């Protein structure tokens, strides 16, 4: 889930670039003011989790993802897992731990957030093998992580365009996450065979640590792809200095 973490801040700030008046309670910061940025991101999640339509700020909790794929092609876990119409919840209670690098001349940017409980609920389709057992099914799913600690780091720089304004160009992104517990529940496994489905759900939750260890690279890759698409769109369309308070 790491690739969605700072959508809240940047989607909200797009409104500024469009010239729309921000509400008085909306937090803004000067570049490089990490304590202020930490609080601003926190406020965005906490105050505007249902979105602000007049500011084009989408719902942050739940955060809707139309499609997401997790493909793990080798090792003890070998699956193709497709999600559709997924709602991710938990961002309204986020604890922002770091927001570093959003300076006047940004290069490396880091963000670190902790979600006490993060859930991903939606339609799924799965086929493959988990540890020693085959798995297949299509239905509804709930994947929940407790104390989900996201850390993202990316680099880039400002580039001046023909309009004379500077835009931030993102390059490489790295992301990691840890959790103290990972719960999984899939309905309609094995074409609705209740006994097989119930046993598989028990097996998945009893072996969550081994399963998550194998799935982590695929999960990180899926969310990083989403993160890059959303955040790059903001940076490419809004001049960087318009995302912050004037420094003078």
């Amino acid at each position: 889930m790491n690739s969605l973490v700072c959508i809240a801040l940047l989607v909200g700030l797009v409104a500024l670039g469009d010239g729309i008046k921000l509400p008085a309670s909306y937090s803004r910061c000067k570049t490089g003011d990490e304590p202020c940025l930490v609080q601003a991101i926190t406020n965005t999640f906490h105050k505007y989790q249902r979105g602000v339509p007049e500011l084009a700020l989408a719902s942050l909790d739940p955060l809707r993802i139309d499609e997401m794929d997790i493909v793990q092609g080798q090792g003890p876990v070998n699956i193709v897992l497709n999600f559709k119409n997924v709602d991710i919840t938990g961002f309204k209670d986020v604890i922002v731990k770091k927001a570093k690098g959003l300076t006047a001349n940004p290069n490396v940017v880091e963000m670190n957030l902790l979600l006490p409980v993060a859930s991903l609920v939606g339609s799924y389709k799965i086929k493959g093998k988990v540890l020693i057992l085959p798995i297949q099914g299509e239905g509804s799913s709930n994947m929940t992580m407790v104390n989900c600690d996201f850390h993202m780091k990316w680099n880039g720089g400002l580039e001046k365009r023909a309009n004379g304004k500077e835009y931030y160009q993102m390059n490489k992104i790295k992301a990691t996450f840890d959790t103290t517990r990972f719960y999984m529940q899939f309905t309609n496994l094995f074409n609705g065979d209740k006994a097989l489905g119930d046993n598989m759900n028990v097996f998945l939750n009893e072996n969550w640590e081994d399963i998550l260890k194998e799935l982590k690279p695929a999960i990180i890759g899926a969310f990083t792809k989403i993160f890059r698409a959303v955040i790059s769109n903001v940076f490419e369309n809004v001049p960087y200095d318009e995302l912050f308070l004037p420094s003078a």
Side-chain angles (χ1 to χ4, degrees), residues 1 11 17 23 27-28 44 54 64 67-68 72 86 113 125 161 168 173 185 198-199 214 222 228 235:
M1 297 170 202
V11 171
S27 303
R28 293 176 59 194
T44 301
E54 63 268 29
R64 170 57 64 96
E67 294 184 356
M68 187 179 77
Q72 178 65 22
V86 170
L113 297 91
K125 183 176 182 180
R161 297 186 183 173
Y168 183 73
I173 305 174
Q185 182 68 33
D198 288 349
N199 287 335
E214 295 297 322
R228 176 181 287 278
F235 282 134

Side-chain angles (χ1 to χ4, degrees), residues 37-192:
L37 288 165
V38 165
Q39 190 60 54
I41 299 171
T42 301
N43 291 344
T44 301
F45 280 113
H46 292 183
K47 292 182 179 180
Y48 305 111
Q49 67 262 28
R50 297 300 179 187
V52 184
E54 63 268 29
L55 297 180
L57 178 61
S59 173
L60 306 176
D61 196 337
L63 180 63
R64 170 57 64 96
I65 302 298
D66 293 332
E67 294 184 356
M68 187 179 77
D69 298 326
I70 296 175
V71 180
Q72 178 65 22
Q74 58 184 359
V77 176
N78 190 329
I79 63 169
V80 175
L81 177 56
N82 311 114
F83 292 104
K84 288 187 177 181
N85 300 321
V86 170
D87 285 327
I88 299 175
T89 61
F91 288 115
K92 64 182 178 63
D93 299 315
V94 70
I95 299 168
V96 180
K97 300 167 68 176
K98 179 187 290 187
K100 184 178 181 180
L102 294 169
T103 63
N105 187 21
N107 182 8
V108 178
V109 179
E110 293 184 67
M111 289 194 180
N112 185 199
L113 297 91
L114 176 68
L115 278 70
V117 178
S119 295
L120 185 153
V121 179
S123 300
Y124 84 94
K125 183 176 182 180
I126 190 172
K127 185 174 183 180
K129 182 186 72 173
V130 177
L131 302 183
I132 61 172
L133 299 178
I135 184 172
Q136 62 91 12
E138 183 174 1
S140 60
S141 63
N142 185 324
M143 300 173 68
T144 295
M145 288 187 277
V146 178
N147 295 322
C148 191
D149 195 338
F150 292 112
H151 183 265
M152 293 167 296
K153 185 175 183 179
W154 67 90
N155 62 15
L158 297 177
E159 61 174 24
K160 184 172 287 189
R161 297 186 183 173
N163 62 5
K165 296 184 179 182
E166 292 185 314
Y167 295 75
Y168 183 73
Q169 179 66 48
M170 297 179 69
N171 295 323
K172 294 182 179 180
I173 305 174
K174 292 184 178 180
T176 60
F177 75 91
D178 290 300
T179 182
T180 58
R181 190 67 171 87
F182 182 42
Y183 297 97
M184 293 162 280
Q185 182 68 33
F186 297 96
T187 68
N188 200 47
L189 286 168
F190 305 105
N191 299 315

Side-chain angles (χ1 to χ4, degrees), residues 188-203:
N188 200 47
L189 286 168
F190 305 105
N191 299 315
D193 188 309
K194 188 176 186 307
L196 287 176
D198 288 349
N199 287 335
M200 175 56 73
N201 278 306
V202 170
F203 177 81

